[in-house]
Amino acid sequence: MMKYRVIESWTATYADPIRIGAGQQLSLSGETYDWDGNLWLWAKSAADGKEGWIPDYLPEERDGRVVSRETFSAIELTCVSGETVEGDVARHGWVWCKAEDGRSGWVPAKHLEAVCGDAS
């Protein structure tokens, strides 16, 4: 895990974001969004009907259906400037982080600064 200092506060966008299991069917609306050079697609989960942005590498066609290559959750982590978080996965302009109080979620990479040693 890498330590990061939050350099710009972030508030989670969606209260109940899309979550998709590996192999789960989804539908794509055709709507796209460029987030710092990374393409995101608006999708709807066939399992529960939730909609949200997913990274463009996630969907694949299998047997005439669009399914997710892997498990994905679009949950975001609300954090404040100056806070220290730990991150372990960086994808599509976001880092999966864990706050000191145990909350986890995605934070935009541009809102984080890597720190060396003890960041307390």
Side-chain angles (χ1 to χ4, degrees), residues 1 6-7 15 17 24-25 29 33 40 48 62 68 71 76 79 96 98 101 103 106 111 114:
M1 289 277 236
V6 178
I7 57 173
Q24 181 179 327
Q25 188 172 349
S29 72
Y33 184 74
W40 289 79
D48 62 13
R62 284 190 209 157
S68 179
T71 297
E76 299 172 24
C79 48
W96 183 262
K98 183 175 184 178
D101 65 6
R103 295 174 299 119
W106 295 102
H111 289 239

Side-chain angles (χ1 to χ4, degrees), residues 35-102:
W35 174 272
D36 291 339
N38 298 288
L39 186 62
W40 289 79
L41 312 172
W42 190 259
K44 182 177 184 178
S45 165
D48 62 13
K50 288 184 184 176
E51 297 183 62
W53 294 108
I54 63 169
D56 68 338
Y57 65 79
L58 200 62
E60 70 176 347
E61 189 172 328
R62 284 190 209 157
D63 302 321
R65 301 178 314 136
V66 178
V67 299
S68 179
R69 293 178 191 274
E70 60 189 56
T71 297
F72 176 78
S73 171
I75 191 166
E76 299 172 24
L77 178 64
T78 295
C79 48
V80 296
S81 183
E83 183 176 354
T84 300
V85 296
E86 290 187 333
D88 65 348
V89 176
R91 287 194 165 170
H92 257 55
W94 294 75
V95 179
W96 183 262
C97 294
K98 183 175 184 178
E100 291 179 354
D101 65 6

Side-chain angles (χ1 to χ4, degrees), residues 104-115:
S104 296
W106 295 102
V107 178
K110 64 186 176 185
H111 289 239
L112 301 171
E113 173 182 76
V115 295

